[in-house]
Amino acid sequence: MADIKVTDIKRGLGEFVPKPDKAASFAALKETLKKAGYTLASADITVSGTLVRESDKWMIEASSSKQRFALEGTDADKLLQGVEAGSRIEVSGDWQTVGRDAASREVIQLRSAKQLAAVLIKPGTYETKQGRTTLEDIQISLGGGGNESGLYFSSIRTTSPGLTVYKGGAIMPRYFYTRQHLGNLKVDRQALRVGVTYTPTPTLQLEAEIPYQHTSFADGSRNGSGSGFGNLTLWGKYRFYRTLETWGDKQAAIRFGMELPTGKKDAPGDTSTGLPEFVRQQLSPINGGLAFHSDLSYSQARHRFIYGGNIEATLRGERDGFRMGHEIRVNTDLEYVLLPRKYQSPGHELFVSLETSYSYRNRGRLGGRTVAGSSANEFYVAPGLQFTATPRFVIEASFQVPVVRNVGPLALRTDKNLLVGIRYLY
């Protein structure tokens, strides 16, 4: 994949030059691209080499690899008329692998052929305009791109069904600033969440995320702060659906996660703060103990627009008698490729996005009892920007604000949330 250069991302075109001393296979190239998330629609190949005649068949032999390509097509005899076997030629045409396994052969449906001037330097060595090394230049036409290679796109807050890089992954440090309140109580949270993904197959992605949070609060004459790690969450994502087309991509995935009770459970301050115990526990870096997550996501790209969404359910367990309520969340994402206006190759894209989030959380528990007034029903919007500095390095920012907040009297209310992060694909 590192040897394939995307030349026109809008039309899904790329170029590939194999190693001159190695045999090339259309079927192998197609399989490699499939594993990376592409569909190979067709390939035009240009080969310079020696014209060979076998029985009534014309072939071209690449001088370095000694690989032979059969020359076929309705106009093959006409295009090769007057060219003698043993001549140096350059041919172009549609490339295919015919047959399977040991019976397979590489075939070029001939579109053009020209004889090359050659000068004998010493027996067996020829020099042409292309130099002494024979190259097979292949113009590949892809059935579409994806976020595994070439154009990178992924929602900022909404779960994406994409799998980043096949046999690779992404490192994603993200900074969050959140302002909350409850009556006179003001709460500021600053969190650094570091996520790591790895994609061992074209359909499976493994993920892990660990947060570190600093919380400060003030309520009139009382104030306090505290820091600590939150719970470690492990994810497994399976992409069960994907279709590709020129300048378009549809995909869907299901994801399961387990949140481990590894975070700091102690809340900042103490009982002398005068805060209700359930409110004070919300200042800790965790929402409870062992939790299970399930997530279903879908996205579609069409020309310069990308849209998608996900639905996530979370079942939380208690830790030392505390947990927030079980939760269901629905997110949507709409993106537009603002820049560049003329698209040729991946990199330096500027995406503008608008994401929405609706969540319902039922009542939490404290000391083995359900806490009345701890449920929440909220809807948020979040405009954002995402810039691909390179196809492997992404910078993003998103600012989330509430539109509807129907929150119980013991649940903190979120006023704003700022997210700034980077993604490095390895």
Side-chain angles (χ1 to χ4, degrees):
M1 284 303 302
D3 297 326
I4 296 175
K5 178 183 178 182
V6 178
T7 58
D8 190 330
I9 197 167
K10 185 173 183 180
R11 294 190 296 158
L13 298 178
E15 290 182 353
F16 170 55
V17 181
K19 293 178 173 62
D21 58 341
K22 303 292 184 181
S25 165
F26 175 87
L29 177 63
K30 185 175 183 178
E31 182 64 22
T32 298
L33 288 165
K34 180 181 178 181
K35 290 180 178 179
Y38 285 103
T39 299
L40 180 59
S42 63
D44 290 337
I45 187 171
T46 300
V47 181
S48 55
T50 303
L51 185 63
V52 177
R53 185 76 172 182
E54 287 189 356
S55 300
D56 59 341
K57 303 290 186 181
W58 287 109
M59 308 189 78
I60 185 171
E61 180 182 280
S63 58
S64 297
S65 65
K66 302 301 181 184
Q67 182 182 10
R68 292 188 175 185
F69 296 80
L71 303 179
E72 298 182 357
T74 56
D75 295 330
D77 289 331
K78 180 179 178 181
L79 290 169
L80 296 172
Q81 186 175 2
V83 183
E84 297 180 356
S87 301
R88 294 280 296 169
I89 64 169
E90 181 182 276
V91 301
S92 296
D94 180 67
W95 181 29
Q96 292 289 332
T97 298
V98 177
R100 301 183 62 182
D101 302 325
S104 66
R105 59 194 180 98
E106 303 303 313
V107 175
I108 300 175
Q109 295 293 324
L110 206 59
R111 186 174 58 251
S112 67
K114 64 179 179 180
Q115 190 168 357
L116 300 175
V119 179
L120 181 64
I121 300 177
K122 61 181 181 179
T125 303
Y126 290 86
E127 184 175 87
T128 72
K129 294 179 180 178
Q130 281 68 37
R132 298 188 184 185
T133 302
T134 301
L135 300 178
E136 296 86 35
D137 300 314
I138 303 167
Q139 177 82 8
I140 58 177
S141 177
L142 308 173
N147 58 327
E148 279 85 320
S149 301
L151 173 61
Y152 175 88
F153 61 84
S154 177
S155 48
I156 301 175
R157 297 174 183 268
T158 307
T159 302
S160 168
L163 303 184
T164 59
V165 179
Y166 171 56
K167 285 193 175 178
I171 300 172
M172 300 172 293
R174 311 175 96 190
Y175 168 79
F176 292 80
Y177 169 74
T178 306
R179 164 61 66 89
Q180 296 177 303
H181 83 277
L182 182 60
N184 294 327
L185 175 67
K186 306 295 182 184
V187 180
D188 289 308
R189 300 180 189 266
Q190 299 184 68
L192 178 64
R193 299 182 187 176
V194 179
V196 179
T197 73
Y198 179 70
T199 308
T201 77
T203 58
L204 177 66
Q205 180 170 288
L206 306 175
E207 306 173 56
E209 184 184 68
I210 183 72
Y212 184 84
Q213 180 174 291
H214 174 78
T215 303
S216 60
F217 67 92
D219 182 11
S221 60
R222 295 166 297 186
N223 61 75
S225 64
S227 301
F229 284 99
N231 289 339
L232 171 67
T233 305
L234 304 177
W235 294 91
K237 182 194 295 185
Y238 174 69
R239 183 173 61 190
F240 58 86
Y241 169 75
R242 192 181 195 195
T243 61
L244 295 165
E245 58 188 54
T246 301
W247 198 225
D249 190 352
K250 300 176 184 177
Q251 50 188 335
I254 189 169
R255 189 172 71 145
F256 295 98
M258 179 181 292
E259 186 177 332
L260 304 178
T262 58
K264 181 181 178 181
K265 60 184 179 180
D266 297 328
D270 52 40
T271 56
S272 65
T273 58
L275 296 174
E277 183 60 18
F278 187 79
V279 175
R280 196 174 71 86
Q281 287 296 325
Q282 291 176 66
L283 304 178
S284 70
I286 64 173
N287 288 319
L290 183 68
F292 296 95
H293 302 260
S294 61
D295 188 297
L296 180 65
S297 59
Y298 173 82
S299 73
Q300 178 173 343
R302 185 62 179 170
H303 298 287
R304 289 182 175 269
F305 286 95
I306 304 110
Y307 54 89
N310 79 288
I311 180 170
E312 178 182 347
T314 302
L315 297 177
R316 294 190 172 98
E318 296 181 21
R319 188 173 184 192
D320 287 355
F322 165 74
R323 70 162 171 82
M324 300 296 288
H326 305 313
E327 187 173 359
I328 186 167
R329 184 180 296 268
V330 179
N331 301 313
T332 67
D333 171 52
L334 176 63
E335 299 182 52
Y336 180 75
V337 186
L338 185 63
L339 297 174
R341 301 310 300 172
K342 185 178 181 182
Y343 231 132
Q344 294 297 328
S345 60
H348 299 96
E349 298 94 355
L350 178 63
F351 297 80
V352 293
S353 66
L354 180 64
E355 295 176 279
T356 70
S357 179
Y358 167 79
S359 67
Y360 170 75
R361 187 179 70 240
N362 68 2
R363 292 180 293 179
R365 291 176 65 84
L366 182 67
R369 295 183 177 182
T370 300
V371 179
S374 60
S375 62
N377 196 352
E378 302 166 289
F379 180 73
Y380 295 86
V381 298
L385 292 173
Q386 193 176 63
F387 177 67
T388 57
T390 75
R392 291 182 177 269
F393 185 74
V394 181
I395 305 170
E396 58 192 12
S398 171
F399 187 70
Q400 187 182 68
V401 293
V403 177
V404 176
R405 289 183 302 190
N406 184 11
V407 182
L410 291 180
L412 294 175
R413 292 155 172 77
T414 298
D415 301 316
K416 56 186 176 183
N417 177 271
L418 172 67
L419 184 163
V420 179
I422 62 174
R423 306 185 190 217
Y424 174 72
L425 280 64
Y426 62 88

